Structures are given as C-alpha cells and as structure tokens.
Amino acid sequence: MFGEESPQSRAPRPQPPSAPGDCCGGGCTLCIDLHEQALQRYQQQLAAGV
C-alpha cells in the first residue's frame, strides 16, 4: 500500500503546444489565435496538475 503510485502520479506531464502543422510561419492571425488558445489550455492543465 505504501509507496504505490496513483494513476495520476504516473500520468505524463502536459507538453507545451507547437505551431499548427500547416503553419507557414508568416504570423497569420488564425495561426496565432489557435496557438494562443492551445497555450491557454496547456497553462490550465499545468495549473490543475494534470
């Protein structure tokens, strides 16, 4: 019982988002918005300890 890890403690840490796969790197509003949304989700997951 002691020393056992819970399933949550074995869960991988969330990874930061990368640019969308089809992003041209030109700074398009859509890509920036999508990345910002993904970054917010990532930060929420970190704060929740997921």
Side-chain angles (χ1 to χ4, degrees), residues 8-46:
Q8 288 180 333
S9 66
R10 288 181 279 176
R13 184 180 173 116
Q15 296 299 309
S18 58
D22 56 353
C23 181
C24 68
C28 306
T29 302
L30 177 62
C31 289
I32 291 171
D33 288 345
L34 291 174
H35 184 71
E36 284 293 322
Q37 291 170 5
L39 188 58
Q40 287 176 358
R41 285 190 303 272
Y42 166 70
Q43 291 171 339
Q44 290 171 349
Q45 289 173 339
L46 285 179

Side-chain angles (χ1 to χ4, degrees), residues 1 3-14 48-50:
M1 178 112 13
E4 291 183 22
E5 293 183 15
S6 69
Q8 288 180 333
S9 66
R10 288 181 279 176
R13 184 180 173 116
V50 173

